[in-house]
């Protein structure tokens, strides 16, 4: 018996099994794209990963973002792509390490094909988020990742253990978890019903971590419309327009896009693209000016030339519709935002058509926003996205202080930072065990 044991020990040493350190345990709090991507990276390195989420299932915001078409990323050139982000160099570097092309290849590895739309946006072939999430969760289960829904994180106890309130068999219980490393991927504060409620902010501030105020991004803005415009045109799309503003540094920002007139003001793709600059102007000045070019494909001179043609028996509205093909909502905006004197003066009217100025009075509430900006200050993190004041605790995704427009940029940012954080956790655990 003793000889057999010695032979077994010899065989184990021959294969260096005694030199293989035991797997470490990692707790990931938040089951969105950033948290799940970190889980995949860490579990692939052989560690024991558990994902905790307050909702009944993971990926809920991801699934809702896919309603109407799952916009994964964007196919524009890499340098232009990264320029869409307002973030520090560390975050931008994560985008270099896992860019739009790498993300598409990762999606293809899950058995999901993608295509590039006419706008440059990248979608799964079936336009749906659910098949992608199912395939991803299957991969994570094969890697041994454990998922614990209905687990709301409450912070740490005096022993440094993670505190959770949970539901098990429909009964509320309290739990403590100890892990060798922790990834916080709890999102921002938009779409609170899906779990991103910002409740983590005071928990980190209590530990001395600077968290910049969470503010709405990719949001609509309030405009003091008349009752007539609201009753006649709320919900109307404003298509084929140029939208512009001047940012807080005095730089012009412009985009050819579209917007939607709402009962409270204005929203839509083009507004979201400028929301950062409009939000900053509101914070500085108490209001912000959004300029709309109603006919971006027609020069000022050409418009004025058409406006100087004889009106004959046409009303002004019919004349403008016939000469300039202005839609009813564009005509309504002209009347809403200009004086009678301007409407009757071809030169002034031409200027208004090319630069119709709206005064925005407020940003819509953060819970209505598609995303949020602000979060953990970059100075609180090392190059691996670990909190310097809390060794072994990492942050990823929308918890970090960055901003980006819709169009695939938000998701790519979450995937990329989640991957970078996962790599950072693996490096930290390897260093801790002397590898």
């Amino acid at each position: 018996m003793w000889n057999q044991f010695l032979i077994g020990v010899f065989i184990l040493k021959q294969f260096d099994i005694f030199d293989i350190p035991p797997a470490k345990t990692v707790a990931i709090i938040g089951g969105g794209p950033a948290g799940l991507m970190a889980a995949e990276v860490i579990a692939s390195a052989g560690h024991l990963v558990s994902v905790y989420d307050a909702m009944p299932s993971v990926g809920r915001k991801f699934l809702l973002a896919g309603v109407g078409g799952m916009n994964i990323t964007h196919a524009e050139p890499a340098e232009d792509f990264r320029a869409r982000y307002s973030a520090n160099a560390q975050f931008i570097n994560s985008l270099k390490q896992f860019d739009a092309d790498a993300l598409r290849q990762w999606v293809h590895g899950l058995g999901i094909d993608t295509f590039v739309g006419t706008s440059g946006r990248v979608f799964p072939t079936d336009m749906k988020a659910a098949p992608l999430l199912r395939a991803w969760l299957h991969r994570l289960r094969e890697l041994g990742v454990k998922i614990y829904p209905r687990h709301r994180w409450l912070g740490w106890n005096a022993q440094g253990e993670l505190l959770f309130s949970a539901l098990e068999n429909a009964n509320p219980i309290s739990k403590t978890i100890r892990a060798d490393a922790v990834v916080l991927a709890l999102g921002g504060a938009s779409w609170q019903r899906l779990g991103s409620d910002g409740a983590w902010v005071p928990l980190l501030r209590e530990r001395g971590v600077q968290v910049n105020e969470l503010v709405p991004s990719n949001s609509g803005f309030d405009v003091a419309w008349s009752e007539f415009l609201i009753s006649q045109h709320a919900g109307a799309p404003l298509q084929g327009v140029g939208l512009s503003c001047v940012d807080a540094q005095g730089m012009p920002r412009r985009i050819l896009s579209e917007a939607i007139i709402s009962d409270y003001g204005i929203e839509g793709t083009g507004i979201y693209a400028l929301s950062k600059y409009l939000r900053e102007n509101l914070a500085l000045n108490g209001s912000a000016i959004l300029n709309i070019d109603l006919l971006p494909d027609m020069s000022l001179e050409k418009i004025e030339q058409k406006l100087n043609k004889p009106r004959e028996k046409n009303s002004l509205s019919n004349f403008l519709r016939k000469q300039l093909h202005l839609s009813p909502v564009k005509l309504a905006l002209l009347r809403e935002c200009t004086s009678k004197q301007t409407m009757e003066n071809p030169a002034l009217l031409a200027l208004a058509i090319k630069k119709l100025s709206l005064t925005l009075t407020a940003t819509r509430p953060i819970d209505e926003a598609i995303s949020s900006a602000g979060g953990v200050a970059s100075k609180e993190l090392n190059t691996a996205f670990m909190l310097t004041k809390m060794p072994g605790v990492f942050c990823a995704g929308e918890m970090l202080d960055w901003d980006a427009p819709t169009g695939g940029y938000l998701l790519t940012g979450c995937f990329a930072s989640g991957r970078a954080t996962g790599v950072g956790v693996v490096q930290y655990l390897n260093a801790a065990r002397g590898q």
Side-chain angles (χ1 to χ4, degrees):
M1 180 73 70
W2 178 247
N3 287 338
Q4 289 177 331
F5 173 76
L6 291 177
I7 292 172
V9 169
F10 175 77
I11 293 172
L12 290 172
K13 290 185 68 65
Q14 286 294 104
F15 286 95
D16 291 327
I17 292 177
F18 275 172
D19 295 327
I20 298 175
K24 299 290 186 177
T25 59
V26 180
I28 296 178
I29 306 175
L36 295 180
M37 182 59 80
E40 180 176 334
V41 172
I42 299 165
S44 295
H47 298 294
L48 304 175
V49 178
S50 297
V51 177
Y52 301 91
D53 196 279
M55 303 303 289
S57 59
V58 297
R60 291 208 160 192
K61 190 172 180 181
F62 179 75
L63 289 173
L64 187 59
V67 173
M70 180 76 259
N71 180 197
I72 292 291
T73 189
H74 204 288
E76 68 185 331
E79 191 170 332
D80 294 338
F81 183 90
R82 292 191 293 269
R84 304 286 186 179
Y85 292 81
S86 174
N88 67 350
Q90 175 187 355
F91 189 90
I92 297 299
N93 187 59
S94 74
L95 293 167
K96 293 179 180 179
Q97 300 302 316
F98 194 70
D99 60 12
D101 288 338
L103 178 53
R104 289 187 72 185
Q105 291 305 312
W106 175 83
V107 172
H108 297 164
L110 290 172
I112 307 293
D113 291 330
T114 61
F115 73 96
V116 181
T118 55
S119 65
R121 298 184 181 200
V122 178
F123 302 88
T125 301
D126 63 5
M127 299 289 286
K128 297 178 181 178
L132 194 160
L133 182 60
R134 282 197 299 269
W136 193 8
L137 293 176
H138 177 73
R139 174 186 287 178
L140 291 174
R141 284 192 293 269
E142 288 190 327
L143 288 170
V145 174
K146 305 295 184 183
I147 295 177
Y148 297 91
R150 303 183 189 276
H151 278 63
R152 179 170 294 277
W153 180 57
L154 303 177
W156 295 268
N157 64 14
Q159 292 73 43
E161 297 169 318
L162 297 164
L163 294 174
F164 292 90
S165 65
L167 280 178
E168 288 191 357
N169 299 319
N171 296 314
I173 63 169
S174 296
K175 265 190 176 183
T176 58
I177 303 293
R178 181 172 291 278
D180 296 304
V182 177
V183 176
L184 302 178
L186 288 145
S190 64
W191 294 5
Q192 295 183 19
R193 68 188 185 280
L194 301 179
S196 298
D197 57 10
W200 55 269
V201 173
L203 299 178
L204 290 188
R205 286 177 175 167
E206 288 169 3
R207 297 275 172 148
V209 176
Q210 179 182 329
V211 181
N212 297 329
E213 181 185 3
L214 295 175
V215 294
S217 182
N218 293 288
S219 66
F221 293 87
D222 289 346
V223 179
W225 298 130
S226 67
E227 288 298 327
F228 175 81
L229 188 130
I230 293 173
S231 65
Q232 297 296 313
H233 298 287
L238 192 60
Q239 297 175 321
V241 293
L243 301 168
S244 65
C245 66
V246 177
D247 68 18
Q249 287 71 46
M251 295 293 293
R253 303 286 181 171
R254 187 173 188 271
I255 185 172
L256 292 174
S257 189
E258 59 188 14
I260 298 172
I261 303 300
S262 69
D263 56 0
Y264 63 74
I266 193 164
E267 59 183 27
T269 304
I271 304 301
Y272 303 152
L274 298 176
S275 65
K276 174 183 185 295
Y277 315 114
L278 296 169
R279 182 184 71 237
E280 290 174 348
N281 284 335
L282 274 162
L284 285 172
N285 307 313
S287 63
I289 301 299
L290 172 70
N291 297 310
I292 305 177
D293 183 346
L294 297 174
L295 295 173
D297 296 329
M298 191 176 295
S299 69
L300 176 67
E301 293 74 19
K302 185 67 172 178
I303 293 172
E304 191 170 352
Q305 179 186 358
K306 286 179 173 288
L307 291 177
N308 277 309
K309 290 183 178 181
R311 191 189 302 181
E312 298 176 344
K313 294 182 179 181
N314 288 297
S315 67
L316 179 57
S317 293
N318 277 338
F319 178 72
L320 293 174
R321 180 176 55 80
K322 290 178 179 180
Q323 290 296 322
L324 300 175
H325 305 290
L326 290 173
S327 66
V329 67
K330 290 182 178 180
L331 287 169
L333 279 179
L334 272 175
R335 292 192 179 278
E336 180 83 6
C337 302
T338 60
S339 65
K340 183 177 179 180
Q341 179 185 7
T342 296
M343 292 295 292
E344 295 291 343
N345 185 312
L348 294 177
L349 183 55
L351 287 170
I353 289 170
K354 293 299 290 181
K355 190 178 181 180
L356 191 66
S357 295
L358 292 183
T359 299
L360 312 182
T361 58
T363 306
R364 295 301 294 171
I366 193 168
D367 194 37
E368 294 181 16
I370 292 175
S371 62
S372 59
V376 177
S378 59
K379 70 176 185 178
E380 299 287 354
L381 302 158
N382 69 8
T383 56
F385 293 99
M386 184 176 75
L387 291 169
T388 55
K389 294 173 181 173
M390 301 182 69
V393 179
F394 298 74
C395 298
E398 229 178 307
M399 287 183 69
L400 305 174
D401 189 0
W402 58 284
D403 200 1
T406 57
Y409 306 104
L410 292 170
L411 271 178
T412 304
C414 288
F415 279 118
S417 70
R419 180 183 181 277
T421 300
V423 171
V425 170
V426 172
Q427 291 172 345
Y428 169 80
L429 295 176
N430 287 344
R433 63 188 187 185
Q435 285 191 329

